[in-house]
Amino acid sequence: MDFLAEHQPELLPGNRQLPPVQGVVEAPHGTTIVAVTFPGGVVLAGDRRATMGNVIAQRDIEKVFPADEYSAVGIAGTAGLAVEMVKLFQLELEHFEKVEGTQLSLEGKANRLSTMIRSNLGMAMQGLAVVPLFAGYDVDRGKGRIFSYDVTGGRSEEQSYAATGSGSIFARGAMKKLYRDDLTEAEATTLVVQALYDAADDDSATGGPDVARRIYPIVTVITEDGFRRLTDDEASGIARSILERRLEHPDGPRAALL
Amino acid sequence: MSTPFYVSPQQAMADRAEYARKGIARGRSLVVLQYTDGIVFVGENPSRALHKFSEIYDRIGFAAAGKYNEYENLRIGGVRYADLRGYTYDRDDVTARGLANVYAQTLGTIFSSSGEKPYEVELVVAEVGETPEQDQMYRLPHDGSIVDEHGSVAVGGNAEQISSYLDQRHRDGMTLAEALQLAVQALSRDTNGSQREIPAERLEVAVLDRTRPQKRKFKRITGSQLSRLLERGAAGGAAESGAGGDEAGSDAE
């Protein structure tokens, strides 16, 4: 990135001159991303909707990307900028790995992403914010970890679950009630889809599972074996089984009162 | 004031080439071979940390013989070139041919500029394709020329001897174990024709494997995986040793 800044600064998002604009620029926005840790790894998932004001801009946008072998990043906020940020982030991790011959530590990756978000602050002030969620498997400590960010690049590690984007309040509520610290991988993937369902239930900008068009949330799992994205069949399997239960109980599983 | 001696350009270039060749010859040789599922890099390298082979991009690998600091410099330059290309355009737009051209330009400029000493390096840039026919291998000698190679390449100390050995024995459609076995045989032949043993821990082996599901096809082969492959190669070699032995015999005559 330093090399890029020296040679072709126009390629870096932070170095662009912004045209002075009144009000808010309309651009597609990505919505809800959720993450959950389980013993042995972490699950990161996102819905598929992008909105532009009150319009659905895209039904099948992909907002969860592998950053490298052991980490992934999910993005909420202005889709165009976010996708570019992820691309640059992926490039930087790969570049470091090739030049140095070793991977960055998970902590190092999280810090790098933090700097990149901060460099976007100018745009964020004009309404083009990018707020990612970063999850990875810490090879040194042998566990999955989640990092959440704010628009200024402030970084905080989340212990068990996290959500970002417009539907995050509802998703977080759902996860709070469903989370246990002895989840299996299969339970964790079900949990994130439940949370996304609840987010879509209450937030108009978050898309639920679309059975008619066969569009299901993107669910990714990062463990010791590396990054894996659930296939469409696996994701649809989870979404359909949840959907079936919700036909009887529209509000989903109930937690004990006391 | 002393008058500088006149040195003819031919002589100056010949001297520089000689200088570079000697530098390269001090290093150990390494070989790059095609096998059915990709391209394998094999070299003798006592160091675990300082690599002779490295990943440049998804399908592109790099091998170098000669002076470490000089080829490391070129390697990092190559990684930068490839990453910048891939970021600006698309991952598919980074090709071994483009990279080899950049290296050739750099090496050529340094070789012919009188202010600098020529680089004492010889490089191989290889790209694995979808099929063995699409594999590309380029050898870049110290003077900035490019040689398009097929099947097998050797660079470094006694490269000529090794590559003639490989040319006779390398065939298309070898398995990884067979190719590795052949490479080790070639490397362990000394200049005077005698054989010596290279232990597995002194071998550096890497592959560009087209069957890998990831985008990045480069992979180092170390430890138990390497010794397993060597054993399998030796076992396969023993079965064919009847024919191989005859061949070797006829060579000696």
Side-chain angles (χ1 to χ4, degrees):
Chain A
M1 184 145 155
D2 299 333
F3 176 74
L4 206 57
E6 217 168 277
H7 288 257
Q8 282 183 287
E10 73 279 5
L11 284 178
L12 286 182
N15 292 351
R16 249 169 247 142
Q17 288 288 320
L18 289 180
V21 270
Q22 295 288 314
V24 176
V25 184
E26 286 265 299
H29 276 240
T31 45
T32 310
I33 305 289
V34 293
V36 167
T37 59
F38 64 92
V42 58
V43 174
L44 184 70
D47 74 312
R48 304 292 292 269
R49 182 171 292 180
T51 55
M52 200 155 69
N54 64 319
V55 179
I56 296 176
Q58 202 183 340
R59 286 178 210 282
D60 60 350
I61 190 174
E62 303 198 348
K63 295 183 281 191
V64 180
F65 304 92
D68 64 359
E69 192 105 19
Y70 288 104
S71 62
V73 51
I75 45 162
T78 314
L81 293 177
V83 169
E84 188 185 23
M85 187 181 285
V86 169
K87 219 176 132 193
L88 192 60
F89 185 55
Q90 288 170 328
L91 167 82
E92 222 179 310
L93 298 188
E94 187 189 327
H95 187 76
F96 183 94
E97 188 187 329
K98 285 191 286 198
V99 170
E100 303 289 330
T102 136
Q103 286 214 342
L104 265 171
S105 64
L106 194 67
E107 204 70 41
K109 293 175 204 170
N111 280 336
R112 198 70 205 111
L113 190 57
S114 180
T115 322
M116 294 176 75
I117 299 165
R118 196 167 299 129
S119 71
N120 192 46
L121 186 60
M123 300 238 225
M125 307 278 273
Q126 296 206 5
L128 301 176
V130 178
V131 188
L133 199 59
F134 179 64
Y137 182 78
D138 194 326
V139 186
D140 302 325
R141 299 194 196 181
K143 63 169 192 168
R145 298 170 73 186
I146 306 171
F147 296 90
S148 70
Y149 297 87
D150 61 34
V151 276
T152 61
R155 185 202 91 168
S156 62
E157 182 168 358
E158 307 283 342
Q159 286 313 322
S160 37
Y161 55 86
T164 183
S166 63
S168 64
I169 329 159
F170 309 110
R172 195 174 297 131
M175 286 192 289
K176 189 196 235 166
K177 296 296 173 213
L178 293 177
Y179 180 79
R180 282 171 286 121
D181 51 15
D182 59 347
L183 291 168
T184 63
E185 184 185 313
E187 287 169 342
T189 49
T190 311
L191 195 159
V192 289
V193 182
Q194 288 277 19
L196 286 173
Y197 192 102
D198 280 327
D201 211 14
D202 289 318
D203 173 36
S204 63
T206 304
D210 189 339
V211 185
R213 294 192 182 81
R214 295 200 181 84
I215 301 171
Y216 301 103
I218 295 181
V219 183
T220 65
V221 184
I222 309 155
T223 59
E224 205 179 0
D225 303 328
F227 173 91
R228 189 172 75 89
R229 177 178 157 174
L230 262 58
T231 59
D232 282 350
D233 286 346
E234 288 172 302
S236 77
I238 297 171
R240 276 168 183 275
S241 62
I242 289 175
L243 214 57
E244 232 156 73
R245 298 297 293 272
R246 296 253 176 170
L247 289 177
E248 291 158 27
H249 307 284
D251 293 340
R254 304 202 179 273
L257 204 53
L258 254 180
Chain B
M1 196 193 106
S2 63
T3 328
F5 286 109
Y6 171 74
V7 182
S8 73
Q10 288 91 339
Q11 186 59 46
M13 282 302 152
D15 285 351
R16 293 170 77 82
E18 181 65 20
Y19 171 80
R21 261 200 297 275
K22 275 194 176 149
I24 296 164
R26 272 196 293 275
R28 299 227 177 261
S29 316
L30 51 91
V31 297
V32 185
L33 297 177
Q34 274 180 282
Y35 69 100
T36 93
D37 288 332
I39 294 171
V40 59
F41 301 79
V42 189
E44 190 182 349
N45 187 356
S47 167
R48 300 269 94 207
L50 307 177
H51 297 300
K52 285 170 182 283
F53 312 130
S54 138
E55 171 187 18
I56 296 282
Y57 211 62
D58 292 354
R59 300 180 154 271
I60 305 175
F62 169 96
K67 235 177 148 202
Y68 180 77
N69 67 323
E70 292 178 347
Y71 69 68
E72 180 67 4
N73 200 357
L74 289 168
R75 182 184 76 85
I76 292 176
V79 171
R80 281 186 174 159
Y81 163 84
D83 278 344
L84 187 59
R85 270 276 148 136
Y87 179 66
T88 323
Y89 306 112
D90 186 72
R91 294 193 84 91
D92 289 345
D93 298 319
V94 183
T95 60
R97 197 175 52 82
L99 183 69
N101 266 318
V102 175
Y103 277 143
Q105 295 295 332
T106 313
L107 284 171
T109 312
I110 293 170
F111 181 73
S112 46
S113 96
S114 57
E116 284 179 89
K117 79 167 198 58
Y119 269 17
E120 299 157 64
V121 292
E122 191 164 8
L123 312 179
V124 177
V125 174
E127 177 176 349
V128 64
E130 294 292 338
T131 61
E133 291 75 43
Q134 290 169 340
D135 288 351
Q136 296 174 33
M137 293 199 287
Y138 300 98
R139 182 166 63 86
L140 296 126
H142 53 85
D143 60 355
S145 46
I146 304 187
V147 191
D148 190 354
E149 302 269 7
H150 295 282
S152 63
V153 202
V155 291
N158 38 354
E160 273 177 36
Q161 197 194 353
I162 293 177
S163 58
S164 67
Y165 181 86
L166 285 176
D167 285 344
Q168 284 168 18
R169 285 164 183 79
H170 182 270
R171 56 193 166 71
D172 292 340
M174 290 176 108
T175 65
L176 177 56
E178 285 169 353
L180 187 59
Q181 161 92 349
L182 174 63
V184 174
Q185 274 170 7
L187 287 173
S188 53
R189 282 165 70 90
D190 266 338
T191 13
N192 55 15
S194 65
Q195 289 274 354
R196 65 199 170 80
E197 191 77 18
I198 305 178
E201 54 272 17
R202 285 177 67 91
L203 279 178
E204 183 183 348
V205 179
V207 289
L208 284 167
D209 182 353
R210 75 177 111 255
T211 58
R212 248 169 95 83
Q214 290 96 324
K215 265 191 287 187
R216 293 162 68 182
K217 308 292 182 193
F218 185 87
K219 182 164 163 276
R220 294 189 190 282
I221 297 182
T222 50
S224 58
Q225 200 187 2
L226 176 59
S227 32
R228 256 202 321 277
L229 269 173
L230 284 169
E231 270 166 35
R232 208 188 311 158
E240 292 168 24
S241 72
D246 283 350
E247 227 173 84
S250 58
D251 278 358
E253 287 163 25

